[in-house]
Short mmCIF file of all heavy atoms in Angstrom, two decimals:
data_model
loop_
_atom_site.label_atom_id
_atom_site.label_comp_id
_atom_site.label_asym_id
_atom_site.label_seq_id
_atom_site.Cartn_x
_atom_site.Cartn_y
_atom_site.Cartn_z
N VAL A 42 -27.36 -2.63 -47.75
CA VAL A 42 -26.56 -2.94 -48.94
C VAL A 42 -25.95 -1.66 -49.51
O VAL A 42 -24.77 -1.60 -49.84
CB VAL A 42 -27.40 -3.69 -50.00
CG1 VAL A 42 -26.71 -3.73 -51.34
CG2 VAL A 42 -27.72 -5.10 -49.51
N ILE A 47 -22.23 -3.91 -49.92
CA ILE A 47 -22.07 -5.36 -49.86
C ILE A 47 -23.12 -6.03 -50.72
O ILE A 47 -24.09 -5.41 -51.14
CB ILE A 47 -22.16 -5.89 -48.41
CG1 ILE A 47 -23.54 -5.57 -47.80
CG2 ILE A 47 -21.05 -5.34 -47.54
CD1 ILE A 47 -23.77 -6.20 -46.44
N SER A 48 -22.92 -7.29 -50.96
CA SER A 48 -23.87 -8.08 -51.73
C SER A 48 -25.08 -8.42 -50.87
O SER A 48 -24.92 -8.75 -49.68
CB SER A 48 -23.19 -9.37 -52.19
OG SER A 48 -24.14 -10.30 -52.65
N PRO A 49 -26.27 -8.38 -51.45
CA PRO A 49 -27.45 -8.78 -50.67
C PRO A 49 -27.34 -10.19 -50.09
O PRO A 49 -27.86 -10.46 -49.02
CB PRO A 49 -28.58 -8.70 -51.70
CG PRO A 49 -28.12 -7.72 -52.71
CD PRO A 49 -26.62 -7.90 -52.78
N SER A 50 -26.62 -11.07 -50.77
CA SER A 50 -26.49 -12.44 -50.26
C SER A 50 -25.64 -12.51 -48.99
O SER A 50 -25.68 -13.50 -48.27
CB SER A 50 -25.89 -13.34 -51.34
OG SER A 50 -24.59 -12.91 -51.68
N ALA A 51 -24.90 -11.45 -48.68
CA ALA A 51 -24.07 -11.43 -47.48
C ALA A 51 -24.84 -11.00 -46.24
O ALA A 51 -24.30 -11.01 -45.14
CB ALA A 51 -22.89 -10.48 -47.69
N LEU A 52 -26.10 -10.67 -46.39
CA LEU A 52 -26.88 -10.13 -45.27
C LEU A 52 -27.34 -11.17 -44.26
O LEU A 52 -27.54 -10.86 -43.10
CB LEU A 52 -28.11 -9.38 -45.80
CG LEU A 52 -27.81 -8.08 -46.52
CD1 LEU A 52 -29.09 -7.51 -47.13
CD2 LEU A 52 -27.17 -7.07 -45.60
N GLY A 53 -27.53 -12.41 -44.70
CA GLY A 53 -28.03 -13.42 -43.78
C GLY A 53 -29.35 -13.01 -43.16
O GLY A 53 -30.29 -12.62 -43.87
N SER A 54 -29.42 -13.00 -41.85
CA SER A 54 -30.67 -12.66 -41.15
C SER A 54 -30.74 -11.19 -40.75
O SER A 54 -31.59 -10.81 -39.94
CB SER A 54 -30.82 -13.54 -39.91
OG SER A 54 -29.81 -13.23 -38.97
N THR A 55 -29.90 -10.35 -41.33
CA THR A 55 -29.83 -8.94 -40.95
C THR A 55 -31.19 -8.26 -41.00
O THR A 55 -31.57 -7.54 -40.08
CB THR A 55 -28.82 -8.18 -41.83
OG1 THR A 55 -27.53 -8.79 -41.67
CG2 THR A 55 -28.75 -6.72 -41.47
#
Side-chain angles (χ1 to χ4, degrees):
V42 166
I47 61 173
S48 166
S50 63
L52 291 174
S54 67
T55 300

